[in-house]
Amino acid sequence: MADDKQESSLADNLARVRERIARAAERAGRRPDQICLVAVTKTVPAARIREAVAAGVTDVGENYVQEAAAKRAEIGAAVTWHFIGHLQRNKAGQAARLFDIIHTVDSVRLAEALSRRAQQLGRRLEVLVQVNTSGETTKAGVPPEEAGALVAQAASLDGLAVRGLMTIGRLQPDPEEARPEFRLLAALAEKLRRETGLDLPWLSMGMSHDFEVAIEEGANLVRVGTAIFGPRRG
Ligand SMILES: *Cc1c(COP(=O)(O)O)cnc(C)c1O
């Protein structure tokens, strides 16, 4: 019964998330349609993703290359595929083939591997530079003071288009705890736009528990899983 209820409420969950996005955008003086919702589908089976697509989802986020390969074979290019997990260099080839945008570039060597693979595929791959804004040692991403160098180096590589920055907020029950990190990322992007002349239109920040705070601080790519699909099992 509980499962049935969860299944049938996907469209409701999605509508609620969209409503919350709209209200947060309005609080921040921005239009709701300027915010792109990435539905995070790790552990979510392809049939559920299809259901989400039928309910209006246009962008999906996956954390694991292997898992995404199987689902992409079923779902195809009807949606934009975002890679949001930690990417190992030996998976760069597969990632460049499967995904439209990689949120988690955190080293020059990874950027170079993606550049090489994208060129082999004859495509221009969009990437974001992941920044560790909390300073937690368990977190991936470059320290804020190194982001500029990585953005500039990645932007110089053929086959890549650097499109912005990404961060994961501090995972605390109170989303306000992550606000300074979101604010830092937004300020950093603004500074890098000035210094590099690059567009850097995307700020990927905010998950189920903190996307409203992230939007208030300037996020326009939010990565939401649990609030749409329910708790992940296993
Ligand atoms: C899993 C994940 C998300 C989604 O998390 P929820 O709390 O389920 O919304 C967002 N971003 C990243 C990087 C993730 O790994």
Side-chain angles (χ1 to χ4, degrees), residues 92-108:
Q94 261 187 302
R97 194 159 40 77
L98 292 168
F99 292 94
D100 301 291
I101 175 164
I102 311 281
H103 289 224
T104 49
V105 171
D106 62 357
S107 73
V108 177

Side-chain angles (χ1 to χ4, degrees), residues 83 101-108 110-111 114 126-133 140-157 160-168 185 188-189 192 198 200 202-205 221 223:
F83 186 81
I101 175 164
I102 311 281
H103 289 224
T104 49
V105 171
D106 62 357
S107 73
V108 177
L110 177 59
L114 288 168
E126 298 200 45
V127 299
L128 308 178
V129 164
Q130 182 174 0
V131 181
N132 181 348
T133 50
V142 292
E145 61 275 14
E146 291 171 23
L150 181 52
V151 164
Q153 281 166 309
S156 75
L157 297 171
L160 296 190
V162 183
R163 302 287 285 155
L165 304 179
M166 177 271 205
T167 200
I168 299 173
L185 196 75
L188 183 57
L192 295 181
L198 294 167
L200 307 179
W202 293 117
L203 268 186
S204 169
M205 52 189 199
L221 263 182
R223 312 176 306 263

Side-chain angles (χ1 to χ4, degrees), residues 40 42 63 84-85 166 168 206-209 223-227 232:
V40 174
K42 61 178 171 238
N63 288 63
I84 63 169
M166 177 271 205
I168 299 173
M207 304 168 43
S208 287
H209 73 293
R223 312 176 306 263
V224 179
T226 309
R232 285 180 288 274

Side-chain angles (χ1 to χ4, degrees), residues 59-161:
D59 292 70
V60 300
E62 286 280 344
N63 288 63
Y64 305 99
V65 170
Q66 222 61 47
E67 183 184 338
K71 293 181 196 173
R72 180 150 185 169
E74 288 196 47
I75 310 277
V79 293
T80 299
W81 292 83
H82 298 248
F83 186 81
I84 63 169
H86 180 67
L87 185 58
Q88 291 165 320
R89 262 180 303 136
N90 62 7
K91 299 273 171 64
Q94 261 187 302
R97 194 159 40 77
L98 292 168
F99 292 94
D100 301 291
I101 175 164
I102 311 281
H103 289 224
T104 49
V105 171
D106 62 357
S107 73
V108 177
R109 292 176 75 193
L110 177 59
E112 286 171 347
L114 288 168
S115 159
R116 216 164 29 241
R117 297 307 199 138
Q119 287 178 78
Q120 285 167 4
L121 294 163
R123 64 180 305 199
R124 196 141 180 269
L125 184 63
E126 298 200 45
V127 299
L128 308 178
V129 164
Q130 182 174 0
V131 181
N132 181 348
T133 50
S134 66
E136 294 164 292
T137 52
T138 51
K139 285 265 177 71
V142 292
E145 61 275 14
E146 291 171 23
L150 181 52
V151 164
Q153 281 166 309
S156 75
L157 297 171
D158 290 331
L160 296 190

